[in-house]
Amino acid sequence: VQLVESGGGSVQAGGSLTLSCVASRSICSNHCLGWFRQAPGKERERVATYGGYGRISYAGSAEGRFTITRDKDNLYLQMDSLRSSDTGTYYCAVRLNSGCPIRARDFEHWGQGTQVTVS
């Protein structure tokens, strides 16, 4: 499955962005989709995941500011109250095996990423 992200850009601190991820084929509703980000020189980290039965999980840094939603095979991330620490490349990922983990290495398919810069 191929994933394509869009919606990144440059924004001032306190602003908002909405990221979108479109899958090339149908993804079972029980499969886990997630948003990850990677800042220069840092490891890729989970931002939020959307698992089976609508189970949602956020990283602490995203809780209360970001909202992950899913519409069939599309995944979205509404980001509000952005901070400079949110700067990085944001990736969409899908795990076709069971479970909805938080480690990036447990997701099999990835998009190319979209850049978010907060100044």
Side-chain angles (χ1 to χ4, degrees):
V1 58
Q2 294 182 333
L3 304 169
V4 179
E5 304 96 335
S6 63
S10 295
V11 64
Q12 291 187 340
S16 298
L17 283 173
T18 301
L19 306 184
S20 299
C21 172
V22 177
S24 61
R25 67 168 178 83
S26 180
I27 297 176
C28 179
S29 60
N30 287 338
H31 288 150
C32 182
L33 290 164
W35 285 103
F36 293 78
R37 69 185 178 195
Q38 188 166 18
K42 294 188 177 181
E43 292 187 356
R44 193 169 297 187
E45 62 177 2
R46 176 187 66 112
V47 175
T49 53
Y50 196 110
Y53 305 105
R55 293 189 187 126
I56 291 174
S57 176
Y58 294 99
S61 60
E63 189 80 53
R65 300 187 300 124
F66 294 3
T67 303
I68 187 172
T69 56
R70 179 176 178 177
D71 176 17
K72 294 183 180 179
D73 307 318
N74 302 326
L75 190 70
Y76 305 95
L77 185 68
Q78 173 67 39
M79 304 187 294
D80 299 315
S81 302
L82 283 162
R83 307 165 179 165
S84 58
S85 56
D86 295 318
T87 294
T89 302
Y90 283 69
Y91 298 90
C92 174
V94 62
R95 174 179 168 86
L96 300 182
N97 289 316
S98 62
C100 200
I102 64 173
R103 297 182 304 185
R105 64 184 183 183
D106 292 325
F107 285 75
E108 302 101 344
H109 301 278
W110 293 84
Q112 293 300 308
T114 185
Q115 178 66 35
V116 172
T117 303
V118 184
S119 59

